[in-house]
Structure formats: C-alpha cells, structure tokens
Amino acid sequence: MFINASTDNIDIAPAWERADLDEVKRLAPYPVALVGDVQARMGIMAAAIRPVTPAPRLAGTVLPVLAREGDNLAIHRALDDARPGDVLVVNANAEINRAVFGDLLGEICLAKGVTGIVIDGAVRDVEELAGQGLAVYARGISPAGPWKNGPGRIGFPVACGNVVCNPGDAIFGDRDGLVVIPRRDLTAVVERTLAQEQTEQKMREAINAVAQLAH
C-alpha cells in the first residue's frame, strides 16, 4: 500500500487470466474505429469518456476497479497487484465533481508498467499527467480531491462507459475513444481487423486511381 489506510472493506477477486499481450501488440497500431467495426460496432465506450492527456493511444488488458464515488482507496489497492500491460479501468459511478485519480497515482502507474487509465468519473492534475506521458481517459475533470475510505471491488466485472469490462479483457484507445474486446475473442478480432484493413486499403487505392484519372 502507498497510503496509510486500511483496505479491509475492499473485495479482491482471485487471480484471473489476462489477454495475450503479443496479440494486444498486434492490434495496437490500428484505429479504434476499425476495431469496433469488425466487432459489429459493439464494445465501444460511451463518447462521454474522453482523453484528457495529449497522447491518448493505449493498448493493454483490463484491471477492473469498482470505486465508491469520490473515493479512490480501491484504486490504490488495485495498483499493488497491477502488472505490466494492465490498463486501469475504473467505475467511479460517473461522479465528476470529485476526482479519484491524479499525478501521484500516475507516478505509481508508471512504476508498475500500467499502460493507460480509464475512469468513469473524474481526474485532476491533468498538466502533470500529460507531462508523465500517460494515456488517461475520464468522464470529467475536477480539482477536488478524493476520500480514501472505501468500499470497493477489484478484479470483478465492471461497467465503464456503458460497456461491461471483464478482468483480463483487451482494451484499446485513441483520439476517437475506447473499445473493449473480450479476452476469448481477441485473436479472431485481430484477424478480422487485418483483413478489413486490407479491404479498406484497396478501396483507398481505387478512389485515388479515379481521382488521378479525373485530373
């Protein structure tokens, strides 16, 4: 623990399997919109969850947290067990008047190898977070700091941005937004994305050829 507080009221799930990081890396360069398209345009988070730092591209596996609104004790505890490649995905009950994440937690994320943060709630210290190079998404921004009382849950499915996020699912983000892929579907989605990219590239080439003829 990085704070002096009891976590007796934080429920922690047994260990879970993460999506294969090599498969995550294969899909990481592709646009979220394209990945969403090949998932029948499902699994895309609500538009209200927006990037708040200037380098929003992220790719990793879901570390889900359920936090009481305005309280970040569960987030602190979750980071104790975070692994490289995890993305912190927090249901903070859409509360935007009190932040549950800031620059000190950002420093911990960097130390733990966390590749991104998604908060269905509010964050603060956005200039400092931007300087850290973290990809941070949130529903809102507020200077008001959090409580650290709990309760909370870690490693259980959470709803974030209207999408159910299971532990170990794959998640990707860019300036358009976020998409979540169930762990069991990741390989199939990678293959469909690669195929769709080839199809769209041929369409672009055909459009360019027509444009050249027109000139």
Side-chain angles (χ1 to χ4, degrees), residues 76-149:
H76 278 272
R77 179 60 185 85
L79 288 174
D80 286 349
D81 299 327
R83 299 182 185 178
D86 281 348
V87 173
L88 195 68
V89 177
V90 182
N91 178 343
N93 290 282
E95 172 58 59
I96 60 171
N97 292 310
R98 187 169 296 278
V100 295
F101 191 93
D103 66 325
L104 293 179
L105 281 171
E107 294 286 357
I108 299 171
C109 287
L110 290 172
K112 300 289 287 191
V114 170
T115 60
I117 299 95
V118 181
I119 310 277
D120 199 338
V123 301
R124 67 177 186 172
D125 306 324
V126 292
E127 290 188 12
E128 292 84 353
L129 290 171
Q132 292 169 359
L134 284 169
V136 181
Y137 289 74
R139 187 177 287 270
I141 299 169
S142 171
W147 311 113
K148 293 176 172 59
N149 301 316

Side-chain angles (χ1 to χ4, degrees), residues 153-197:
R153 306 186 83 204
I154 300 165
F156 298 94
V158 298
C160 186
N162 300 341
V163 174
V164 176
C165 303
N166 292 288
D169 284 350
I171 183 168
F172 301 87
D174 63 17
R175 291 191 182 279
D176 282 352
L178 296 149
V179 63
V180 178
I181 303 171
R183 178 178 58 82
R184 65 182 181 277
D185 297 339
L186 179 57
T187 298
V189 171
V190 169
E191 298 304 327
R192 291 202 300 270
T193 300
L194 297 180
Q196 183 63 23
E197 172 63 19

Side-chain angles (χ1 to χ4, degrees), residues 5-18:
S6 171
T7 57
D8 292 343
N9 59 352
I10 305 297
D11 294 328
I12 303 172
W16 62 86
E17 186 175 352
R18 267 91 165 164

